[in-house]
Amino acid sequence: MNPALASYVHERAAAIVNGVESVRVEPLRTPIPQQRPLTVRLSNDDVATIVERYRSGATARSLAAEYGVGLTAMKGLLRKQGARKSDQR
């Protein structure tokens, strides 16, 4: 172990044991912010427009980028609305 690091760890441990310093517990990972469901983020008019544009030839990727949602979420929305690639003509 690095001597400087070992010294630091030893000093911190001694300070905590002697009550001079409190133990600070940090989360291992930063909490992931929870996204609101698409039905809350997009209005019914937005959904209708997205479906229409998808059926008219727009890609799910371009629509996802335009509306600020993930590609997987956009594909799920289109699937739930019944807009399939076979509908495009």
Side-chain angles (χ1 to χ4, degrees):
M1 179 184 258
N2 180 335
L5 179 60
S7 172
Y8 171 77
V9 170
H10 180 69
E11 289 174 10
R12 286 257 314 149
I16 290 169
V17 168
N18 294 330
V20 175
E21 195 171 324
S22 63
V23 178
R24 218 170 91 202
V25 179
E26 304 262 340
L28 295 177
R29 296 184 185 148
T30 343
I32 299 171
Q34 296 296 313
Q35 290 287 330
R36 295 177 295 147
L38 282 181
T39 54
V40 173
R41 290 186 277 167
L42 299 173
S43 69
N44 291 336
D45 291 338
D46 288 337
V47 173
T49 302
I50 288 169
V51 170
E52 182 61 36
R53 289 185 53 203
Y54 182 73
R55 289 181 174 157
S56 299
T59 64
R61 184 179 304 276
S62 67
L63 292 168
E66 182 179 336
Y67 284 89
V69 299
L71 178 59
T72 304
M74 180 58 70
K75 286 181 177 181
L77 173 71
L78 291 166
R79 194 175 310 111
K80 284 180 185 174
Q81 297 299 316
R84 305 250 188 240
K85 287 190 174 204
S86 60
D87 291 343
Q88 297 177 357
R89 295 185 198 250

